[in-house]
Amino acid sequence: MYPFNIHILFYVLFCVLGVISGQIASWCIKRMPEHKKVLSTDFFKEFKPDYKMIIVMIVLYMTLLLSYGIKNQFLNNLQLIKYVILTPMIVIAFVVDYKHQIIPNRLNLSIFEVGLAASFVAGLYNMNLLTDSLLGMAVGGGVFLIITLIGGLIAGKEAMGFGDVKFMGALRTLLWSCKYHYYNAYGIFVCCYY
């Protein structure tokens, strides 16, 4: 009997993914605010394990695995795959925004691309998922753009940066379709928070 009906090798795989993505996230957090290349040979020259980030990513990946499990069909695993890719990007955005008050455009674009790719793959199976994801992008970006513009008119300065607007538009592409999938603790948190 496997814990939670998930083969033990999936736990090992997700731990390894957590270690790799934690180290890469730590590297991105260091390089992105300085506008340096992320993919470079300096990664191996300046390699220092960031145990905090590795532990955070392992815990997040184990939570995703336990929340979504492994299904037999690809479409049923699409949410899990999407969140495995999205989680390090959100962690990077959170830490960089916290430390430097910016969200790098490269990161926004990557999140947007993952959202569009996941939306089009889901659209192959159900066209409503594609249209709802694109609608989510428009609504998410539009609402935060309106907040930014109104805040600028009232306060005379930026109430929210345009990086935040792009970030919300990209995230809503991914998270709008949550209503079509069963709700669990992680899904409810993500859908309600954004």
Side-chain angles (χ1 to χ4, degrees), residues 41-52:
T41 56
D42 294 341
F43 178 78
F44 300 106
K45 293 175 186 173
E46 301 175 21
F47 182 79
K48 293 178 195 167
D50 185 355
Y51 296 110
K52 290 179 190 174

Side-chain angles (χ1 to χ4, degrees), residues 21-40:
S21 66
Q23 192 60 41
I24 292 172
S26 175
W27 178 253
C28 291
I29 289 167
K30 178 181 174 186
R31 303 282 285 195
M32 280 187 166
E34 300 171 359
H35 303 289
K36 293 183 180 177
K37 286 184 182 179
V38 175
L39 300 174
S40 68

Side-chain angles (χ1 to χ4, degrees), residues 7 18 48 50-51 61 64 68-69 71 76 97-98 100-101 126 131 144 146-147 155 169 171 176 188 193:
H7 196 282
K48 293 178 195 167
D50 185 355
Y51 296 110
Y61 277 179
L64 287 172
Y68 288 97
K71 309 291 187 301
N76 295 335
D97 193 31
Y98 179 75
H100 303 282
Q101 286 76 44
N126 186 347
T131 55
F144 285 94
I146 290 169
I147 290 170
L171 276 183
W176 188 269
I188 289 173
Y193 183 73

Side-chain angles (χ1 to χ4, degrees), residues 87-104:
T87 299
M89 293 181 185
I90 291 177
V91 169
I92 293 167
F94 174 78
V95 174
V96 170
D97 193 31
Y98 179 75
K99 288 183 177 180
H100 303 282
Q101 286 76 44
I102 61 167
I103 299 175

